[in-house]
Amino acid sequence: PGLQYDDLSIGTKLKIGSENRGWPLAIVGILSLPSGSDERTSGAVDPTVLLIFAHNLPRNLQFSGTGNLTSHSTNGGPRVAQLQFAVDLGWCARETTCFYAEAAPFVSTAQDSNGTTIDGGITLRIAPRAQLDGRVGTTIVNGDRSVFATIGYSFRLDPRHK
């Protein structure tokens, strides 16, 4: 039934471990704002907290993962909690262009809403502290499948990052 879009999300990431360590860590806070199409909006501001780890491998490969907890509103219904884990394998073709594949199972307090998201994407650095992100994938919940595509823009406030 036509193009549908999710709520807009904004967030910030804080490193809590040095990139020089074998397994650097970061924490991310995200707020989704009720701006999506009628069929897709949650109807309220929804917070998410993520913990991210990463590890560089040979041949420009990177293994990473996340664990996140989200409090979803349900457009007038009670809030539900969703816990999701993801593992990613990325490869950087150049310093400015990377690709990744991700698998992310999730469990939810909402009845019959456990599932998996599988996607792939690209990150393209367009300036020393700015990048574009894109991904396409599918989410499967109880045998029902939906397809999605996202685009994003991120920038770093840290002037020491070049």
Side-chain angles (χ1 to χ4, degrees):
L3 181 64
Q4 298 176 5
Y5 51 95
D6 285 328
D7 294 339
L8 175 69
S9 295
I10 59 171
T12 188
K13 179 165 91 172
L14 177 66
K15 285 189 228 179
I16 55 177
S18 168
E19 288 184 12
N20 297 329
R21 302 171 105 183
W23 293 89
L25 296 172
I27 191 165
V28 177
I30 299 172
L31 293 175
S32 75
L33 307 174
S35 55
S37 57
D38 289 342
E39 304 84 7
R40 303 288 301 169
T41 187
S42 70
V45 174
D46 297 327
T48 298
V49 175
L50 287 95
L51 182 63
I52 302 171
F53 71 87
H55 184 69
N56 290 327
L57 300 170
R59 303 193 189 286
N60 296 329
L61 292 171
Q62 183 180 59
F63 175 72
S64 61
T66 62
N68 74 53
L69 179 61
T70 301
S71 174
H72 284 290
S73 50
T74 55
N75 212 359
R79 283 193 171 270
V80 296
Q82 179 175 301
L83 182 63
Q84 185 168 26
F85 299 98
V87 292
D88 298 61
L89 182 61
W91 173 70
C92 291
R94 300 186 326 210
E95 190 175 319
T96 59
T97 309
C98 299
F99 302 90
Y100 68 90
E102 175 180 69
F106 60 87
V107 293
S108 176
T109 58
Q111 185 177 8
D112 296 327
S113 64
N114 301 331
T116 301
T117 297
I118 301 168
D119 63 273
I122 182 172
T123 61
L124 181 63
R125 193 169 68 206
I126 57 174
R129 294 189 311 218
Q131 79 180 30
L132 295 174
D133 305 309
R135 69 180 185 147
V136 295
T138 185
T139 299
I140 304 164
V141 179
N142 300 328
D144 293 331
R145 180 183 306 248
S146 62
V147 176
F148 63 87
T150 66
I151 57 171
Y153 172 78
S154 59
F155 59 93
R156 296 176 189 261
L157 298 175
D158 185 353
R160 296 171 294 172
H161 186 79
K162 305 257 188 250

